[in-house]
Amino acid sequence: MAAKIFKELPGGLKMPAIGLGTWQVTNEAELENALNAALEIGYRHIDTAFVYQNEHIIGRVLQEWFSSGKLKREDLFITTKLPMQGVHQDRVELFIKKSLENLQLDYVDLYLIHFPVGIKHDDGQNRPPPEKIQTEPSDHVAIWKKMEEQVDAGRTKTIGVSNFNIRQVDTVIKSARIKPACLQIELHVYLQQRELVNFCQQNGLVVVAYAPLGSPGYNKFTAQFGNEPKNLPDMLNDKTIKKIATKHKKTNAQVMLRYLLQRNIVAIPKSVTPARLKENIDVFDFSLDGVDMKALDDLEVGEEARVCDFKFFPTLLQHPEFPFSK
Ligand SMILES: NC(=O)c1ccc[n+]([C@@H]2O[C@H](COP(=O)([O-])OP(=O)(O)OC[C@H]3O[C@@H](n4cnc5c(N)ncnc54)[C@H](OP(=O)(O)O)[C@@H]3O)[C@@H](O)[C@H]2O)c1
């Protein structure tokens, strides 16, 4: 089965190379159907976050699978993330406990710092609206110590970071007793992040690609803050990718995901559509050759193709730890 292709994390934990993204799915029935379909198809890796406000739905569906005996906890790889309001040494434990309670789990497989910037915390619930967000200093060394304590306490098997740049990953590596197992970043054919990927792979971190299909649903998210729709990169209709897809009797999405796998990168495409869920994990029965890989390498656009730039929270940009170019 497709989900049996793994990347090994430090400590021997195995992460299935295709996972299920769940950002923006908060409708109970929609997520329940998608999760049930995904688990039937063979997905064993689920990516969520405290801020996605869907951990409780995932928890409920997983409990059904466990209690029916169709799955055991150890069959699954579950990732969740410390929200920006938890990016402070005094609040890591508080937030991982909230996530575990929502997920109805004793532990997650991977706990990530979602974003390198911390914001002021009020009631510990959801993030305030963008205009009310106030940042605060973020001491990554002190926060990482608290992340390590979550491994010691058995609340997570491994820990990692997301949206960190090279300098920030390096700071964590240098101070770490337990090295970061993973960096999760936006990564697709138009934004290949080669320097950052090389740095992580040389230092033993598994790179996980978010928005691997270019996040075509992104504008729905920013519309809630009244933002103008962004001109999104359209890789699902890219002609070069289409040519390669036709050659292999695959779709553009499958070529884009396969490209990442062949660069030793895990991908977490999100879909709530059963046919697409099948399509996105059906990427282990073909190989891109050197000519295909070169043609895909050449599609790199760079920073301009970044979709998820977090600029929808304008105050973050002023913070010294804002990780992307402004
Ligand atoms: N760490 C972070 O800061 C961060 C940021 C963003 C995302 N993430 C994680 O990464 C996951 C993936 O990123 P993403 O959701 O932004 O973007 P994505 O996976 O690149 O794209 C998802 C979108 O593509 C559509 N889609 C899925 N498969 C398709 C296919 N085969 N053909 C055509 N369209 C397809 C989906 O529609 P339907 O669902 O309608 O099928 C959905 O609108 C997230 O869900 C989340 O778990 C993490």
Side-chain angles (χ1 to χ4, degrees), residues 232-250:
L232 300 175
D234 186 7
M235 289 166 280
L236 291 165
N237 292 303
D238 182 289
K239 288 199 180 88
T240 304
I241 304 177
K242 183 80 209 148
K243 218 166 129 191
I244 297 169
T246 306
K247 170 174 149 188
H248 293 281
K249 300 194 174 57
K250 289 284 178 183

Side-chain angles (χ1 to χ4, degrees), residues 17-24 43 184-192 208-219 231-238 241 245 250-261 265-283 286 288 296 299 305-308:
I18 294 287
L20 176 67
T22 65
W23 182 39
Q24 298 196 63
Y43 283 78
Q184 186 183 119
I185 43 171
E186 177 173 340
L187 182 47
H188 43 70
V189 176
Y190 287 179
L191 178 65
Q192 299 181 10
V208 173
Y210 76 66
L213 306 176
S215 201
Y218 176 85
N219 283 329
N231 214 355
L232 300 175
D234 186 7
M235 289 166 280
L236 291 165
N237 292 303
D238 182 289
I241 304 177
K250 289 284 178 183
T251 63
N252 275 30
Q254 288 170 321
V255 168
M256 286 153 67
L257 295 170
R258 182 73 208 180
Y259 173 73
L260 297 173
L261 298 187
I265 293 164
V266 170
I268 48 170
K270 171 261 174 186
S271 181
V272 292
T273 316
R276 289 176 174 171
L277 288 167
K278 276 202 191 100
E279 178 184 332
N280 295 346
I281 205 166
D282 181 18
V283 290
F286 77 111
L288 300 168
L296 293 165
L299 291 179
R306 188 186 290 280
V307 177
C308 218

Side-chain angles (χ1 to χ4, degrees), residues 65-312:
W65 280 71
F66 297 151
S67 55
S68 71
K70 286 205 281 185
L71 273 183
K72 296 197 283 295
R73 171 65 186 90
E74 56 271 30
D75 298 330
L76 293 174
F77 190 102
I78 311 289
T79 301
T80 194
K81 312 184 191 90
L82 177 72
M84 285 190 278
Q85 61 270 41
V87 177
H88 188 281
Q89 50 275 30
D90 295 343
R91 301 198 286 269
V92 175
E93 184 173 328
L94 174 79
F95 277 94
I96 194 172
K97 284 181 168 169
K98 282 176 189 286
S99 285
L100 290 174
E101 191 184 330
N102 291 339
L103 287 162
Q104 300 187 48
L105 296 176
D106 298 330
Y107 69 90
V108 286
D109 296 279
L110 176 61
Y111 195 56
L112 298 174
I113 302 177
H114 202 146
F115 198 78
V117 175
I119 64 173
K120 286 212 164 71
H121 165 78
D122 41 31
D123 62 357
Q125 292 305 313
N126 296 320
R127 195 175 45 213
E131 66 283 3
K132 293 216 168 126
I133 285 181
Q134 286 181 283
T135 60
E136 60 180 16
S138 306
D139 178 347
H140 293 161
V141 172
I143 294 163
W144 192 253
K145 282 199 170 53
K146 294 292 169 184
M147 293 288 285
E148 293 171 330
E149 286 175 17
Q150 307 317 307
V151 179
D152 298 337
R155 297 185 189 106
T156 183
K157 296 271 183 201
T158 55
I159 44 181
V161 292
S162 179
N163 296 303
F164 277 43
N165 60 29
I166 292 185
R167 175 185 60 76
Q168 294 166 331
V169 177
D170 195 40
T171 300
V172 172
I173 290 174
K174 288 203 169 111
S175 80
R177 169 171 62 84
I178 301 174
K179 299 269 183 242
C182 163
L183 172 70
Q184 186 183 119
I185 43 171
E186 177 173 340
L187 182 47
H188 43 70
V189 176
Y190 287 179
L191 178 65
Q192 299 181 10
Q193 307 245 39
R194 287 191 173 271
E195 210 188 335
L196 185 51
V197 170
N198 289 342
F199 177 81
C200 286
Q201 292 182 339
Q202 279 159 12
N203 282 285
L205 282 81
V206 169
V207 176
V208 173
Y210 76 66
L213 306 176
S215 201
Y218 176 85
N219 283 329
K220 261 194 241 158
F221 175 73
T222 54
Q224 67 179 300
F225 307 129
N227 291 11
E228 288 296 313
K230 192 170 174 168
N231 214 355
L232 300 175
D234 186 7
M235 289 166 280
L236 291 165
N237 292 303
D238 182 289
K239 288 199 180 88
T240 304
I241 304 177
K242 183 80 209 148
K243 218 166 129 191
I244 297 169
T246 306
K247 170 174 149 188
H248 293 281
K249 300 194 174 57
K250 289 284 178 183
T251 63
N252 275 30
Q254 288 170 321
V255 168
M256 286 153 67
L257 295 170
R258 182 73 208 180
Y259 173 73
L260 297 173
L261 298 187
Q262 288 188 211
R263 285 184 55 202
N264 228 355
I265 293 164
V266 170
I268 48 170
K270 171 261 174 186
S271 181
V272 292
T273 316
R276 289 176 174 171
L277 288 167
K278 276 202 191 100
E279 178 184 332
N280 295 346
I281 205 166
D282 181 18
V283 290
F284 296 97
D285 63 349
F286 77 111
S287 276
L288 300 168
D289 60 31
V291 177
D292 301 331
M293 289 299 284
K294 168 79 173 71
L296 293 165
D297 284 347
D298 289 347
L299 291 179
E300 163 77 338
V301 172
E303 269 309 304
E304 258 178 66
R306 188 186 290 280
V307 177
C308 218
D309 56 15
F310 285 76
K311 289 179 184 158
F312 36 79

